[in-house]
C-alpha cells in the first residue's frame, strides 16, 4: 500500500511485484496476498487489471444498513458521514453487506449519495421469513425489515412444500444483482406464524443467535462430574461453615452469587462468593468457544438461551442450596463510612445455607413478616448485618455522586398458549438494592486488583456525554431555568445534583428522560476510561460468569495474577480490543432479539383491543410522529404525524417536540395525551394510534389561567369577543396531569451484576436511551420485563 501511494498511479501486478522485489518463487504467494487484500477492500483493481488504493480513487469502504422503505446507507469504516444509497443501488445488496462506494453527489436532503463500486463481502447466507404466494409465484418475505427484497424460491424439486403464511428459513443460492432478486431454497420449515413460541424461533434466526450447542460442547459437558470432587478442593479455602446465602428473584434458576456479612470492629466484613465457572470451562475448549460465540445468556419471556449447557448453568456452576460448590471469593473489609479498606481474592469451596428471594428478605427485614421470618430463621442476624452495610454503602454512593434514575419495570403474565394475558408493574424493593450494592463493591475490587497488577482485562466503560449532546442538554434545561454544572466536562455528581433538584416537579419525567438520553451506551473495552454513570474510575463485570463471557474473562485474569501467570484469551488471537467489541455486539444482539419478541407479544396482546381509547405519555418524538406509552397497559405505539391535525408539523430536535407551522400547536416529550388504537400490524410488529385529545402539559401553565382570572374577577362590561378564549393546552393544571399512572420506583443505573441483577428475568437498559429521539419499531417495549440491569 505504501508502494502504491509512493508511485501515485495504478500498477499492474507485474510492476508491483518488481517494485517490491518479489522473486519468481514468491510470486504465487504474493498474488494470493493481493487477492486477499482486494477481498478486504484494502486495494482494488481497475478495468485494466491494475491495482490502486481506494482512497486515491475517492472510494470508501463500509457496511450497508438497509431501510424497510427500500433505500439504505453505508456506514463507513473511517467514521465519516453515512453515505445514502437509493433504491436502485440497494437492489444488488442486502443489509449487512460490506461494500465499496464512491460519493457521486448530494441528495435532496444534503446527504452524500453513493454509487456502488464493488460488493466486498456478503453478510446473509440464511434468512428467516414468511411464505407469500402471489400470482402463482412463491416468494419469501424476510422477517428482518431492513432486507426489503423478497426472495424467489429456486426452481426444481423442493424438500419442503410451503404454504402461504408459514415461517421458513431459506438458504441463498444466488445473491441479488442490479437486475435480479435474490434466489433461495427452503432448508427449514418452522411452522405457522401464530404458533406458540414462534416469535422466539424467528428472533433466534433473524438475529443469528447461537441456540444449539455443538456435539463437542455437549460431549465435554457430559464428561463433567455431577458434584464437587475431593480433588477439586486442592488449593482452595474451606468456606463451607460460613452461612453464605443466595438472594434472587422467584423465577431464577442460575445462581451466580452468594453473600455473607458480619460486623468487624466498627466496620464490616463482606464476603461475595461467585460461581467458579473457569474451573470447568477451560481456555480454548469446545465449551469456551460456545460461550464466546454466544457472549451472554439471552432471557426471552418464558424461555432462556443459556451461555452454558444446563448441566453447568443450572447445576454444577449454580450456587444451589445445601450442596458444595466451587467459587471465587472477594473478601472485603469495609469501613463504617462505606470505604473498602482491604480486599482479597481467593478460590474456595462453599455450601449455601439457603436460597432466598428478594421478597422474602424484604418481608423479613422491613415488614417483620412472620412467615418470612420463619423461613429465614437463624440467618436473620446475618441479613440484618447486610442491611446495615447496605445503608452505609448507600450513603457512600450518594457521596460519590452516582446517578439514580427512576424507571418503571413490568412483568408479563402469560396464558396457557404462551401469549400475554396481562402486563403488570413490577416494584423493586430494598433487598434488590442491597444485593446490587454488594455486587458493585465486588466488581470495583476486581477492576482495582487487575489494574494494580497491570494485567489486561475487559472493563465495563461508560463515557460521559458527547459535546453535541451536552450542548443540546444545556440549551434545553436553560429554558426551564435549570443548569447542569461541571462546565465542558460534567461529572456524574453534577447529573446527580441536577436530578435531585428536579425531584417533585410535575415535569420530572420529561427532564429525567432528556438527561438519560444525553448519556452514551456502556460497552466492554480493554481501555479503562471509567464508568460515568456509577462514578467509578475503574469498573469490571466479575459477578455473573454463568451468563456473561466478560465476567469469565475477568475470573481467568484474576486467577492468573494469583498464580503469578498471565492469561491470554484463545479467541481473536488474544486481542482484548476485538474481544471487547464482540462482547458488546452480543449484548446488543441479545437486547434486539428480546425487544423483537416483546414487541410481537405486545402486538398479539393488543390486536383484540382495536377501537379502545387509552391515556398515555409521549415517550419519544421523531420526525414522523409521536411514540406514546400507555398507562396501565405498558404498551407503546405510534401516532403518525398525519394524525396530529390539519397543519404542517416540524420536528424540533433540540426541544424534543413537533410544532405546528400555522397554529403553533406543540407536542413534546412526556406530554399527556389520549389516543385510540386503530391498527395492529402483526407482520411488522407495529401499533398505530389516533390522537383523541392532547396535549396536557404540566409545565405549560404559569400562574392562573385566563378562565380562572375571569371567574375570580368582577364581571366587566367588556364585550365577550374581546376576551381571547385559551386553547385546551393552556388551561391544564399541573395537578390534572400526573406524569405517570403509577409512581415510578427509584432506580439505579447499575444493577445486580451491573450490579448483577435480580434474576427475575428483567433487563433494564439505560444505555438504549442514549440515542436521542431516533426512529424505532412501533411496538412498544414499555418497560422491560427482566430485572437484570445493564450498566
Amino acid at each position: 500500500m505504501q508502494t502504491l501511494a509512493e508511485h501515485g498511479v495504478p500498477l499492474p501486478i507485474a510492476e508491483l511485484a518488481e517494485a517490491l522485489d518479489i522473486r519468481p518463487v514468491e510470486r504465487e504467494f504474493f498474488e494470493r496476498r493481493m487477492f486477499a487484500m482486494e477481498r478486504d477492500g484494502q486495494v482494488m483493481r481497475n478495468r485494466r487489471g491494475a491495482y490502486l488504493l481506494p482512497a486515491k480513487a475517492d472510494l470508501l469502504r463500509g457496511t450497508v444498513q438497509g431501510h424497510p422503505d427500500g433505500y439504505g446507507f453505508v456506514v463507513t469504516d473511517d467514521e465519516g458521514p453515512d453515505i445514502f444509497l437509493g433504491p436502485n443501488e440497494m437492489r444488488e445488496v442486502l443489509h449487512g453487506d460490506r461494500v465499496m462506494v464512491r460519493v457521486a453527489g448530494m441528495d435532496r436532503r444534503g446527504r452524500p449519495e453513493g454509487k456502488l463500486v464493488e460488493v466486498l463481502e456478503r453478510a446473509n447466507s440464511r434468512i428467516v421469513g414468511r411464505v407469500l404466494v402471489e400470482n402463482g409465484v412463491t416468494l419469501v418475505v424476510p422477517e428482518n425489515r431492513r432486507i426489503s427484497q423478497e426472495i424467489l424460491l429456486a426452481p426444481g424439486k423442493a424438500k419442503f412444500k410451503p404454504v402461504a403464511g408459514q415461517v421458513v428459513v431459506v438458504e441463498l443460492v444466488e445473491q441479488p444483482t442490479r437486475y435480479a432478486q435474490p434466489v433461495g431454497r427452503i432448508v427449514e420449515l418452522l411452522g405457522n406464524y401464530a404458533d406458540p413460541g414462534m416469535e422466539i424461533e424467528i428472533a433466534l434466526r433473524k438475529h443469528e443467535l447461537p441456540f444449539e450447542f455443538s456435539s463437542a460442547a455437549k460431549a465435554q459437558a457430559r464428561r463433567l462430574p455431577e458434584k464437587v470432587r475431593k480433588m477439586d478442593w486442592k488449593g482452595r479455602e474451606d468456606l463451607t461453615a460460613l452461612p453464605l446465602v443466595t438472594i434472587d428473584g422467584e423465577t431464577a434458576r442460575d445462581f451466580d452469587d452468594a453473600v455473607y456479612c458480619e460486623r468487624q470492629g466498627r466496620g464490616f466484613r463482606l464476603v461475595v462468593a461467585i460461581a467458579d465457572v473457569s474451573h470447568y470451562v477451560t481456555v480454548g475448549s469446545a465449551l469456551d468457544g460456545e460461550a464466546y460465540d454466544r457472549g451472554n445468556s439471552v432471557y426471552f419471556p418464558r424461555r432462556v438461551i443459556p451461555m452454558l449447557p444446563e448441566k453447568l448453568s443450572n447445576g454444577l456452576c449454580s450456587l444451589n442450596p445445601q450442596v458444595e460448590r466451587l467459587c471465587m471469593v472477594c473478601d472485603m473489609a469495609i469501613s463504617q463510612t462505606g470505604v473498602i479498606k482491604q480486599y482479597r481474592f481467593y478460590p474456595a469451596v462453599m455450601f449455601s445455607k439457603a436460597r432466598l428471594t428478594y421478597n422474602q428478605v424484604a418481608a423479613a427485614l422491613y415488614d417483620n413478616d412472620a412467615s418470612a421470618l420463619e423461613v429465614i430463621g437463624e440467618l436473620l442476624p446475618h441479613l440484618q448485618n447486610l442491611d446495615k452495610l447496605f445503608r452505609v454503602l448507600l450513603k457512600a454512593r450518594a457521596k460519590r455522586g452516582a446517578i439514580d434514575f427512576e424507571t418503571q419495570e413490568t412483568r408479563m403474565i402469560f396464558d396457557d398458549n404462551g401469549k400475554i394475558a396481562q402486563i403488570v408493574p413490577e416494584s423493586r424493593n430494598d433487598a434488590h438494592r442491597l444485593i446490587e450494592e454488594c455486587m458493585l463493591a465486588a466488581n470495583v475490587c476486581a477492576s482495582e486488583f487487575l489494574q494494580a497488577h497491570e494485567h489486561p482485562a475487559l472493563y465495563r466503560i461508560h463515557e460521559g456525554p458527547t459535546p453535541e449532546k451536552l450542548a443540546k442538554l444545556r440549551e434545553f434545561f436553560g429554558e426551564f431555568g435549570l443548569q447542569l454544572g461541571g462546565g465542558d466536562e460534567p461529572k456524574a455528581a453534577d447529573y446527580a445534583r441536577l436530578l435531585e433538584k428536579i425531584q417533585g416537579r410535575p415535569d420530572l419525567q420529561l427532564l429525567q428522560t432528556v438527561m438519560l438520553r444525553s448519556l452514551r451506551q456502556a460497552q466492554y473495552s480493554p481501555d479503562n476510561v471509567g464508568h460515568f454513570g456509577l462514578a467509578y474510575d475503574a469498573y469490571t463485570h466479575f459477578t455473573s460468569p454463568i451468563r456473561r463471557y466478560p465476567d469469565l474473562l475477568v475470573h481467568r485474569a484474576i486467577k492468573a495474577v494469583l498464580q503469578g501467570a498471565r492469561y491470554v484469551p484463545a479467541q481473536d488471537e488474544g486481542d482484548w480490543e476485538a474481544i471487547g467489541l464482540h462482547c458488546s455486539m452480543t449484548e446488543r444482539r441479545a437486547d434486539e432479539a428480546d425487544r423483537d419478541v416483546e414487541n410481537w407479544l405486545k402486538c398479539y396482546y393488543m390486536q383484540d383491543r382495536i377501537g379502545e381509547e387509552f391515556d398515555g405519555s409521549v415517550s419519544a418524538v421523531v420526525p414522523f410522529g409521536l411514540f406514546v406509552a400507555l398507562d396501565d397497559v405498558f404498551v407503546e405505539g405510534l401516532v403518525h404525524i398525519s394524525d396530529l391535525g390539519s397543519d404542517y408539523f416540524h420536528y424540533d430536535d433540540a426541544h424534543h417536540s413537533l410544532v405546528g407551522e400555522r397554529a403553533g400547536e406543540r407536542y413534546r416529550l412526556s406530554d399527556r395525551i389520549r389516543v385510540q388504537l386503530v391498527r395492529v400490524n402483526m407482520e411488522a410488529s407495529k401499533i398505530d394510534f389516533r390522537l383523541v385529545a392532547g396535549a396536557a402539559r404540566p409545565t405549560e401553565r404559569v400562574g392562573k389561567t385566563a378562565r380562572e382570572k375571569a371567574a375570580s374577577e368582577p364581571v366587566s362590561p367588556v364585550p365577550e369577543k374581546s376576551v381571547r378564549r385559551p386553547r385546551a393546552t393552556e388551561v391544564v393544571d399541573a395537578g390534572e396531569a400526573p406524569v405517570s399512572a403509577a409512581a415510578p420506583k427509584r432506580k439505579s443505573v447499575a444493577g445486580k451484576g451491573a450490579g448483577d441483577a435480580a434474576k427475575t428475568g428483567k433487563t433494564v437498559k439505560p444505555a438504549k436511551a442514549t440515542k436521542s429521539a431516533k426512529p424505532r419499531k412501533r411496538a412498544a417495549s414499555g418497560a422491560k420485563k427482566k430485572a437484570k440491569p445493564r450498566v
Side-chain angles (χ1 to χ4, degrees):
M1 292 175 68
Q2 182 181 343
T3 301
L4 285 172
E6 288 172 352
H7 279 71
V9 294
L11 293 178
I13 193 165
E15 293 183 24
L16 188 56
E18 183 180 350
L20 289 167
D21 294 327
I22 302 298
R23 292 176 295 176
V25 294
E26 299 172 326
R27 181 65 179 263
E28 179 185 350
F29 305 104
F30 175 65
E31 289 180 355
R32 288 183 191 174
R33 171 48 45 195
M34 292 305 298
F35 290 148
M37 292 179 68
E38 184 181 359
R39 182 190 64 228
D40 293 339
Q42 294 174 289
V43 297
M44 67 174 298
R45 280 185 290 179
N46 60 19
R47 294 183 181 181
R48 297 180 180 180
Y51 282 99
L52 56 93
L53 293 173
K56 291 286 187 181
D58 295 327
L59 302 180
L60 297 168
R61 284 183 299 169
T63 304
V64 174
Q65 278 198 352
H67 189 277
D69 291 340
Y71 59 86
F73 295 89
V74 175
V75 180
T76 58
D77 293 349
D78 61 3
E79 298 184 355
D82 294 348
I83 311 299
F84 176 76
L85 292 181
N88 287 337
E89 299 299 314
M90 285 294 295
R91 284 179 60 88
E92 56 185 301
V93 291
L94 299 175
H95 173 71
D97 287 350
R98 297 274 300 158
V99 297
M100 189 92 74
V101 294
R102 174 185 286 112
V103 176
M106 308 294 283
D107 70 355
R108 53 191 175 85
R109 294 188 181 181
R111 301 172 296 194
E113 185 169 6
K115 293 288 183 184
L116 276 176
V117 174
E118 187 177 352
V119 179
L120 301 174
E121 183 182 348
R122 295 289 187 177
N124 303 275
S125 57
R126 291 193 172 192
I127 294 174
V128 61
R130 285 173 298 103
V131 175
L132 174 67
V133 179
E134 202 171 63
N135 298 325
V137 178
T138 305
L139 306 165
V140 174
V141 181
E143 278 297 315
N144 188 344
R145 315 313 292 181
R146 290 181 178 274
I147 299 178
S148 56
Q149 290 108 313
E150 295 167 342
I151 300 164
L152 288 168
L153 292 183
K157 189 175 181 180
K159 181 179 179 181
F160 300 98
K161 292 185 178 180
V163 178
Q166 284 185 320
V167 181
V168 299
V169 178
V170 294
E171 184 177 58
L172 295 186
V173 295
E174 291 182 23
Q175 293 284 346
T177 67
R178 189 172 291 271
Y179 309 105
Q181 292 175 254
V183 178
R185 68 166 63 93
I186 296 175
V187 293
E188 189 176 3
L189 188 61
L190 297 180
N192 294 316
Y193 198 69
D195 288 348
M198 183 56 64
E199 67 280 356
I200 296 177
E201 297 297 333
I202 291 172
L204 290 174
R205 292 159 177 82
K206 173 181 172 182
H207 296 280
E208 298 182 354
L209 284 164
F211 61 94
E212 291 182 347
F213 288 101
S214 66
S215 55
K218 290 177 182 177
Q220 186 182 348
R222 282 195 299 270
R223 290 193 297 269
L224 292 172
E226 297 295 329
K227 59 182 181 179
V228 174
R229 300 164 298 184
K230 286 300 178 184
M231 61 184 291
D232 297 326
W233 283 64
K234 186 178 179 181
R236 294 179 179 272
E237 297 192 20
D238 184 355
L239 294 186
T240 54
L242 203 65
L244 286 154
V245 297
T246 61
I247 305 176
D248 289 276
E250 278 79 0
T251 59
R253 294 178 62 195
D254 54 341
F255 308 118
D256 292 282
D257 52 82
V259 292
Y260 166 76
C261 183
E262 65 183 15
R263 294 305 298 253
Q264 196 172 63
R266 301 180 66 181
F268 302 86
R269 177 197 179 196
L270 173 64
V271 179
V272 176
I274 306 298
D276 190 358
V277 176
S278 62
H279 179 82
Y280 300 105
V281 182
T282 53
V283 179
S285 65
L287 283 173
D288 187 33
E290 285 280 347
Y292 177 74
D293 289 342
R294 295 171 184 235
N296 44 258
S297 297
V298 185
Y299 293 84
F300 292 116
R302 290 164 53 98
R303 182 177 172 185
V304 177
I305 307 299
M307 186 179 80
L308 299 170
E310 189 172 349
K311 183 174 181 178
L312 285 168
S313 60
N314 295 344
L316 198 53
C317 289
S318 184
L319 305 183
N320 299 324
Q322 306 301 314
V323 291
E324 292 176 354
R325 286 289 183 258
L326 304 184
C327 60
M328 281 295 294
V329 175
C330 181
D331 201 330
M332 296 163 272
I334 303 177
S335 74
Q336 60 182 343
T337 57
V339 177
I340 301 173
K341 294 293 187 181
Q342 291 178 317
Y343 61 84
R344 186 166 68 96
F345 286 95
Y346 53 87
V349 181
M350 62 162 286
F351 187 90
S352 175
K353 295 300 186 287
R355 179 268 199 267
L356 304 177
T357 69
Y358 296 114
N359 291 335
Q360 284 175 336
V361 173
L365 288 177
Y366 312 124
D367 301 330
N368 290 318
D369 183 88
S371 59
L373 288 169
E374 184 179 353
V375 170
I376 289 171
E378 61 184 15
L379 296 171
L380 183 61
H382 306 301
L383 295 179
Q384 290 172 334
N385 286 334
L386 271 171
D387 184 58
K388 291 172 184 174
L389 173 60
F390 162 58
R391 305 296 164 185
V392 167
L393 292 175
L394 272 188
K395 291 179 181 178
R397 180 192 185 95
K399 184 178 179 181
R400 193 174 72 244
I403 309 172
D404 278 347
F405 286 112
E406 293 179 357
T407 63
Q408 178 67 64
E409 299 173 7
T410 61
R411 178 168 55 92
M412 295 179 177
I413 299 175
F414 293 87
D415 58 25
D416 295 336
N417 296 320
K419 301 301 187 291
I420 301 176
Q422 192 179 1
I423 304 174
V424 297
E426 184 100 299
S427 60
R428 292 177 79 250
N429 54 48
D430 275 353
H432 290 83
R433 303 192 71 195
L434 182 154
I435 292 299
E436 177 183 302
E437 289 298 327
C438 293
M439 298 304 111
L440 287 173
N443 285 335
V444 169
C445 289
S447 62
E448 290 183 357
F449 181 80
L450 292 171
Q451 268 200 318
H453 291 86
E454 298 182 350
H455 193 290
L458 279 190
Y459 294 91
R460 183 64 165 176
I461 65 169
H462 183 220
E463 298 180 82
T466 63
E468 295 78 16
K469 287 188 175 182
L470 183 60
K472 287 182 180 180
L473 180 67
R474 292 193 188 282
E475 178 186 352
F476 183 80
F477 270 78
E479 297 184 3
F480 292 82
L482 297 168
Q483 187 174 0
L484 174 68
D488 292 337
E489 295 185 2
K491 305 294 184 185
D494 298 309
Y495 269 74
R497 279 191 288 270
L498 180 56
L499 194 58
E500 186 178 353
K501 188 181 296 184
I502 64 176
Q503 294 301 313
R505 288 178 60 118
D507 54 1
L508 172 64
Q509 185 184 18
L510 165 68
L511 301 178
Q512 177 184 263
T513 303
V514 174
M515 289 177 69
L516 191 59
R517 291 181 179 176
S518 71
L519 300 178
R520 294 192 234 188
Q521 186 175 18
Q523 57 187 328
Y524 295 105
S525 173
D527 300 321
N528 175 38
V529 297
H531 197 295
F532 182 85
L534 294 174
Y536 284 132
D537 293 331
Y539 187 71
T540 60
H541 276 171
F542 163 77
T543 51
S544 288
I546 292 177
R547 63 183 181 88
R548 285 192 309 229
Y549 196 78
D551 301 54
L552 179 57
L553 293 173
V554 168
H555 276 235
R556 288 172 175 166
I558 290 174
K559 276 189 174 181
V561 171
L562 293 175
Q563 295 165 2
R566 195 170 185 83
Y567 166 55
V568 178
Q571 288 77 23
D572 290 303
E573 300 179 346
D575 185 343
W576 285 92
E577 185 172 355
I579 293 170
L581 289 171
H582 172 80
C583 292
S584 299
M585 179 277 292
T586 60
E587 181 183 54
R588 290 192 301 270
R589 179 179 67 185
D591 289 343
E592 290 167 2
D594 180 36
R595 189 162 50 247
D596 275 3
V597 169
E598 282 200 356
N599 287 345
W600 191 91
L601 286 169
K602 289 182 176 181
C603 285
Y604 193 93
Y605 174 59
M606 295 295 288
Q607 65 180 344
D608 295 329
R609 306 185 69 172
I610 293 175
E612 292 185 31
E613 294 185 3
F614 305 90
D615 291 316
S617 300
V618 176
S619 57
V621 182
V622 290
F624 51 83
L626 309 171
F627 283 98
V628 180
L630 305 183
D631 300 343
D632 302 324
V633 187
F634 305 104
V635 166
E636 189 179 71
L638 178 76
V639 176
H640 194 266
I641 194 169
S642 59
D643 291 325
L644 294 180
S646 54
D647 202 346
Y648 289 105
F649 283 88
H650 300 286
Y651 175 56
D652 186 344
D653 182 31
H655 299 90
H656 303 275
S657 62
L658 286 171
V659 183
E661 182 180 285
R662 179 177 56 83
E665 187 72 20
R666 180 162 57 103
Y667 295 93
R668 191 178 64 190
L669 192 68
S670 87
D671 278 350
R672 303 283 301 152
I673 61 177
R674 187 168 181 81
V675 295
Q676 181 184 45
L677 178 61
V678 294
R679 190 179 305 106
V680 175
N681 186 338
M682 292 297 301
E683 296 176 0
S685 294
K686 294 178 181 178
I687 293 175
D688 289 320
F689 297 128
R690 179 182 66 83
L691 186 66
V692 175
R697 188 173 297 115
T699 54
E700 187 77 22
R701 172 183 169 178
V702 179
K704 288 186 176 181
T705 64
R707 187 187 298 274
E708 289 171 333
K709 286 181 179 179
S712 62
E713 293 174 359
V715 178
S716 69
V718 179
E720 183 180 349
K721 64 181 179 180
S722 67
V723 179
R724 183 177 70 87
R725 191 173 297 276
R727 294 196 303 271
T729 53
E730 296 177 311
V731 299
V732 174
D733 191 291
E736 298 171 7
V739 170
S740 76
K745 301 292 181 184
R746 191 84 173 147
K747 174 69 181 159
S748 149
V749 295
K752 181 179 173 186
D756 254 29
K759 301 213 184 115
T760 57
K762 166 92 188 126
T763 303
V764 176
K765 305 165 190 158
K768 295 293 179 194
T770 59
K771 298 184 178 179
S772 175
K774 286 196 176 180
R776 49 196 164 111
K777 277 199 172 184
R778 299 186 191 176
S781 56
K784 301 285 291 172
K785 87 285 164 205
K786 289 193 287 294
K788 290 189 188 273
R790 303 280 179 90
V791 182

